[in-house]
Amino acid sequence: MKNVLIVLVLLFATSVKADVQEDVINAFRTGNSKTLATFFTSSIELNLPGTEGMFSKAQAEGILRDFFSKNQCKSLSMVHQGTSKDGAKYSILNLITNTGNYRVYFFLKKDGESFLVKELRIESER
């Protein structure tokens, strides 16, 4: 019984960590900047067409709200996910919007027991 409990705890812990990437992807799919910002570190490196730099969580949320208001998601697909040698997680997505196609990169850094987005890039594929 004890072994079963340990396995369940480990499975739950693994699924919680994996869910952050999925939650970030779902926030992109729905264009929900507020939900997306809940997964940001306190300051985030943000690179979008016309905007680049380090921003607070609130500033980044506003920038993304503006981006999503002008670029509604038509489809979003996973290109690649992985883990770097230092344990950071990353995802690369193809985002097709009503105004054009974009490549999205986001990097997750371990913060305590969870992972948070430390860098987000959205590059135009025109």
Side-chain angles (χ1 to χ4, degrees):
M1 182 65 181
K2 187 176 181 180
N3 289 339
V4 172
L5 183 59
I6 291 171
V7 169
L8 289 175
V9 169
L10 289 174
L11 285 173
F12 178 74
T14 303
S15 69
V16 169
K17 290 179 185 175
D19 284 346
V20 173
Q21 280 177 302
E22 202 56 42
D23 289 342
V24 169
I25 291 166
N26 286 334
F28 260 97
R29 190 170 280 121
T30 60
N32 191 329
S33 61
K34 192 172 196 81
T35 297
L36 186 56
T38 64
F39 302 107
F40 291 169
T41 54
S42 59
S43 64
I44 179 171
E45 184 176 339
L46 191 61
N47 293 290
L48 280 77
T51 304
E52 188 173 320
M54 289 296 289
F55 298 94
S56 70
K57 188 186 280 197
Q59 289 171 317
E61 192 271 326
I63 292 166
L64 287 165
R65 183 179 340 112
D66 184 56
F67 176 82
F68 289 141
S69 73
K70 296 173 183 170
N71 301 280
Q72 288 81 38
C73 178
K74 290 174 122 179
S75 73
L76 185 69
S77 59
M78 175 63 64
V79 175
H80 186 70
Q81 278 186 326
T83 304
S84 69
K85 291 178 185 175
D86 66 353
K89 295 178 183 250
Y90 63 90
S91 294
I92 304 170
L93 312 169
N94 278 333
L95 172 64
I96 299 172
T97 72
N98 59 320
T99 61
N101 299 341
Y102 297 90
R103 182 64 61 109
V104 176
Y105 307 86
F106 66 89
F107 302 90
L108 299 162
K109 173 182 163 186
K110 186 145 180 147
D111 184 28
E113 292 300 311
S114 61
F115 282 85
L116 296 174
V117 179
K118 70 174 186 170
E119 183 179 346
L120 174 62
R121 296 177 179 270
I122 303 174
E123 299 175 354
S124 178
E125 291 191 334
R126 295 180 202 249

